[in-house]
Amino acid sequence: MEQRKVEAVTITVEITFPLGRYHATPWDRHVNEGAIEWPPSPWRLARALYAVWKERMPELDDDDVVAALDAISAPPVYHLPPWTGSATRHYYPDAAYLSGPMKPSIDKVLDAFVAVHPEAPLTLSWPEADLLPGPSAVLASLVEGLPFLGRADSVCTASTTMTAPVDGGRTLAPTETGDMQVAAPVRPLDINALTITTDRMRKQRLRQPPGMVQIPYQSPVEERPSSGLSPASDTPSPEINAAVFSATGRPPPSSTLAVAVADLFFAAAEKGYTRLTGSPAPPVLTGHPADSSERRTDQHRHAHVWPLPRDPGAKQVQQVVVWAKEGFDPATSAALGQVTELRLSKKAPGSKDHVEVDTAGRPVVRGLLPTRVLLTQLGKIDELAPGLVRSSSHWVSCTPFIPPHHQRKGQRIGERFGSYYKGFLIDQIDRELKHRGFAARLIDLRGLGDDERPGAAQRYRRHRLKQRMRDAREAVWLEVHLDQPLKGPLALGGLCHYGLGLFRPKN
């Protein structure tokens, strides 16, 4: 059988960290030592790409995957962006913390990380690599599918080319006199050795995997990155168009306060963006064109914030899902990662005239206490919230729907849903679908019964923090039937960017 010729190529992998952080502990080091594996080792990269293969792309050819992973197991040449090491400290009380007079134990955990500019790429290159076209294409697919590198907090975007990297940044190459050891797989690559588990190593009493070799490099010199981000310098990427935050409070806010929670989230995100970049918040967060205060008319492509329960039957906000059809650029992604607390204050949206105040003159919303939020996922809405995206022709309210326009006399046709008539609601939903670019049309709708909805629609807050109660409109729970399936997310009507009007596919 004729063998294909293997040609020498230069493999280049570029990795950026949209949240500006890279978390990874070196092999055989404890997390509380504060050590950071920087730059990422070939051993870590090869295992990460193996996980992408098994979890996301199992259809890829086994031989091509092994050949691709073997090529990037060789010691790479690194081109480092400006970086600096940092750490945060976390204290975790034990079970006795709130019980009994005994002095409780509080464990400290050190979270060390490398801070980099969210738009500055880390480049790894393998000159003179031996790779056929098939494995080259497989490697490109695996690298592009990499969701994070190191700990799950290290969200990343990655790509590969077969050309030499552009000169720039600090270069690290293997050297016999290096004082830093970088872990790499032994070549030729043995998949079983690469994927050895901790249990297997303990049973064999091994301190280091038998398939790992340490390559000497010179330790990189720390170079602090610039403090600011370039405002909206890149085109928003549809590959990163959603973020999921966990939400906790004492107690957590009720789902009926979704609009207030979303309002505070937008304010925190816009403030974080300005703090990071020194520029006003971008249109994807404000909903206004960059050169005008008028609202955008581009089919609601800017950000939606949906404070939602996570557990079935829960009536509190346990997570916040953020989605923008147009996607988020690196600066906006980094600003979202800075949102950690939602709290009303004198500088919060609204004023004394619009928001209830306490005796000290601080704005308050009944039932809305300071809420901690933490970014847990960043990526595509199809992967982060598949339950909202599935294609369907039957959609049911997750949160109450508010018609965006007032009802006219000529629209009082058909069955009544509260103070609204069926003819008016059909017209409103059809207009909303058309405005968002959907070809589907409404053919029927019905109101949800008491056993199908989480509570009375009018108990939901239906006005923003800068508005008064008199600005609120009546809301309804609906099930809509369309003439053809459409793919979500589907958020329609008034305050749909602030948690209301969200629909889910009917099972």
Side-chain angles (χ1 to χ4, degrees), residues 374-390:
L374 177 65
L375 179 62
T376 58
Q377 294 174 291
L378 185 69
K380 298 182 68 173
I381 188 67
D382 308 62
E383 300 170 353
L384 304 191
L388 298 176
V389 178
R390 181 170 52 84

Side-chain angles (χ1 to χ4, degrees), residues 207-290:
R207 184 173 180 178
Q208 177 177 299
M212 176 192 289
V213 62
Q214 298 291 342
I215 308 297
Y217 284 76
Q218 288 293 344
S219 297
V221 178
E222 189 170 342
E223 181 182 351
R224 186 174 297 274
S226 60
S227 58
L229 296 170
S230 55
S233 59
D234 292 341
T235 302
S237 169
E239 296 300 316
I240 300 181
N241 62 11
V244 178
F245 293 76
S246 64
T248 56
R250 295 185 177 182
S254 168
S255 296
T256 59
L257 295 174
V259 170
V261 174
D263 216 344
L264 289 177
F265 187 95
F266 271 114
E270 292 174 21
K271 182 179 179 180
Y273 186 93
T274 300
R275 183 173 61 249
L276 284 173
T277 67
S279 300
V284 70
L285 293 178
T286 64
H288 298 286

Side-chain angles (χ1 to χ4, degrees), residues 481-506:
H481 296 185
L482 307 174
D483 63 349
Q484 58 182 292
L486 63 81
K487 182 180 178 181
L490 185 62
L492 308 173
L495 297 174
C496 65
H497 291 266
Y498 292 84
L500 297 188
L502 178 64
F503 290 81
R504 59 171 174 81
K506 186 176 181 181

Side-chain angles (χ1 to χ4, degrees), residues 37-56:
E37 184 191 82
W38 179 255
S41 67
W43 176 267
R44 182 180 300 278
L45 180 61
R47 285 171 63 95
L49 296 181
Y50 177 88
V52 173
W53 171 37
K54 290 299 183 181
E55 295 295 327
R56 298 189 169 197

Side-chain angles (χ1 to χ4, degrees), residues 298-301 304 323 325 388 392-396 401-405 424-445 478-494 496 501-504:
D298 56 358
Q299 300 177 344
H300 292 264
R301 296 175 61 84
H304 297 68
W323 170 69
K325 187 175 182 179
L388 298 176
S392 177
S393 58
H394 291 183
W395 293 79
V396 180
F401 170 78
I402 298 178
H405 299 92
F424 168 69
L425 292 174
I426 289 177
D427 174 73
Q428 292 293 288
I429 293 177
D430 267 341
R431 292 179 63 174
E432 288 286 283
L433 291 172
K434 183 178 180 181
H435 188 55
R436 285 161 177 76
F438 292 118
R441 293 184 60 84
L442 181 64
I443 58 176
D444 195 18
L445 61 80
L478 297 175
E479 177 182 325
V480 300
H481 296 185
L482 307 174
D483 63 349
Q484 58 182 292
L486 63 81
K487 182 180 178 181
L490 185 62
L492 308 173
C496 65
L502 178 64
F503 290 81
R504 59 171 174 81

Side-chain angles (χ1 to χ4, degrees), residues 22-37 44 86-90 92 107-114 150-154:
Y22 168 74
H23 305 251
T25 303
W27 185 268
D28 201 29
R29 301 291 294 273
H30 191 275
V31 64
N32 272 9
E33 293 182 51
I36 311 166
E37 184 191 82
R44 182 180 300 278
S86 188
T88 57
R89 297 176 181 179
H90 305 265
Y92 295 92
D107 295 328
K108 181 181 74 173
V109 175
L110 194 64
D111 178 16
F113 58 89
V114 163
R151 211 173 68 191
D153 309 54
S154 308

